[in-house]
Structure formats: structure tokens, C-alpha cells
Amino acid sequence: MTGTGHLAAGRDYIENMNVTNIAFILMTKPKENLDARAIVNERFFKHRFKLKVNKEVRKKLICFQNSHGFTDSQIGELYYSDFIHIRHNKLNIKSPQPTLYAGYSLVALATACFILLVIAFILTPHLSTVAGFTLLNSACVYVLLMWLIDKACLQPSRLLRYNHIYRQITY
């Protein structure tokens, strides 16, 4: 009807935001909503934490995250560096001390080997380009090894210690 002042789309029009993009939901929804969705929806949990577990372990993992203030990426980092163990619906958080000591021991051992290599290079009476390339390659391997030790041993251990986790925890 024309001229009555009604709009054609004004009557049974309901705006419904049906968002199916998980990344958009992760950016816009509050954390409580994300936690509830992650417990119920396994695919949402997998996209959020990058791991697949059953519903009971999902509840325990989110409880652990909320009680200690970890981010989603930190939970994934702890899981992939083997500090979070999931077995038979139990969630075990490993103590950081042994891994931290092992990491510092590996740093000391690799540094001592690299220093001995540099000393051997300096004390060589005939310096050649092959020896220089060998030292350069060894320096690259040393830097890569230090990064790997830091990423696998030291960072997760520091993360747990900063959150005051010094012993094993079982949920």
C-alpha cells in the first residue's frame, strides 16, 4: 500500500547476526562466553587452543587457565612443550624445575663447546677460509640451538614459575 507510511520491510523484519566465523567470535565475544562455547563445542576448542581433548578435560583445562591467568596461546605452548599431560581424563601440569635445570645445563654445555671451538680457531697457526666457514656454520648452529633450548625448556618453565606453579598439579 502506497501512501500509508509503512515500509515494506518494516513488518516482520528481525535482524539476526548468525556469525559462523570462529576467528570473528574469538575476537568479539567475552571470555566467559568463549569458555562456555569451548566446553560444549570440540571444534571451537580445537580452533581456540590448537588441541583436541574430550569434554571433561576441556572443563579442567579451562578451569586451570582461569585460575592461573594463562592466555590461549600460552596453554597451547605449555601443551606442546610437554608441560601439560592429558591421560585418562586427568590433567597433569608438570613441575618446571627439572626442565629448567636441564635447559640451563644444555645452555652451559653448548656454550662451552662453542667457546672451545672459537679458541681452537684462534690458536690455529694456518687460518683458512674453510676454517672460517666452519666457525661461521658452528655459530649459526649455536644460535639455532640456543633458540630451540629457550623455546622448548626455558620459556615454558619461566611461564609456570611467573604464575607461581612450582610443583606438579593434577586436576
Side-chain angles (χ1 to χ4, degrees):
M1 301 187 135
T2 358
T4 59
H6 295 285
L7 298 175
R11 195 172 148 245
D12 297 321
Y13 179 72
I14 299 171
E15 185 174 331
N16 185 10
M17 282 192 61
N18 189 5
V19 179
T20 58
N21 187 356
I22 293 176
F24 182 75
I25 294 171
L26 285 171
M27 289 186 298
T28 57
K29 297 292 182 184
K31 184 164 178 5
E32 294 79 26
N33 189 318
L34 297 178
D35 291 345
R37 283 182 192 227
I39 290 171
V40 175
N41 189 339
E42 180 182 352
R43 287 174 294 162
F44 187 81
F45 186 87
K46 183 176 185 260
H47 191 276
R48 183 175 169 192
F49 292 103
K50 310 290 189 266
L51 54 124
K52 273 178 83 171
V53 293
N54 63 21
K55 188 173 185 177
E56 187 176 331
V57 175
R58 289 196 299 262
K59 286 180 187 176
K60 292 176 182 180
L61 196 58
I62 288 175
C63 178
F64 168 71
Q65 179 192 23
N66 291 336
S67 64
H68 293 286
F70 290 111
T71 64
D72 296 350
S73 61
Q74 288 172 336
I75 292 291
E77 182 181 322
L78 289 173
Y79 179 76
Y80 288 113
S81 60
D82 209 31
F83 278 92
I84 294 178
H85 293 276
I86 300 168
R87 289 205 178 92
H88 307 295
N89 293 336
K90 288 189 178 180
L91 179 69
N92 294 321
I93 289 63
K94 200 167 92 172
S95 173
Q97 267 73 15
T99 308
L100 186 69
Y101 297 143
Y104 283 132
S105 300
L106 287 172
V107 166
L109 181 66
T111 303
C113 290
F114 184 69
I115 288 173
L116 287 175
L117 187 66
V118 169
I119 290 173
F121 176 75
I122 292 171
L123 297 178
T124 302
H126 304 293
L127 295 177
S128 66
T129 56
V130 174
F133 283 126
T134 303
L135 186 63
L136 182 64
N137 287 338
S138 300
C140 291
V141 168
Y142 175 75
V143 168
L144 181 67
L145 186 63
M146 289 298 115
W147 176 81
L148 186 63
I149 291 170
D150 184 56
K151 191 79 171 158
C153 298
L154 302 179
Q155 279 183 1
S157 297
R158 278 189 240 122
L159 182 64
L160 288 173
R161 286 185 324 144
Y162 290 154
N163 286 292
H164 306 292
I165 299 173
Y166 300 108
R167 58 181 172 76
Q168 181 172 344
I169 299 174
T170 302
Y171 282 90

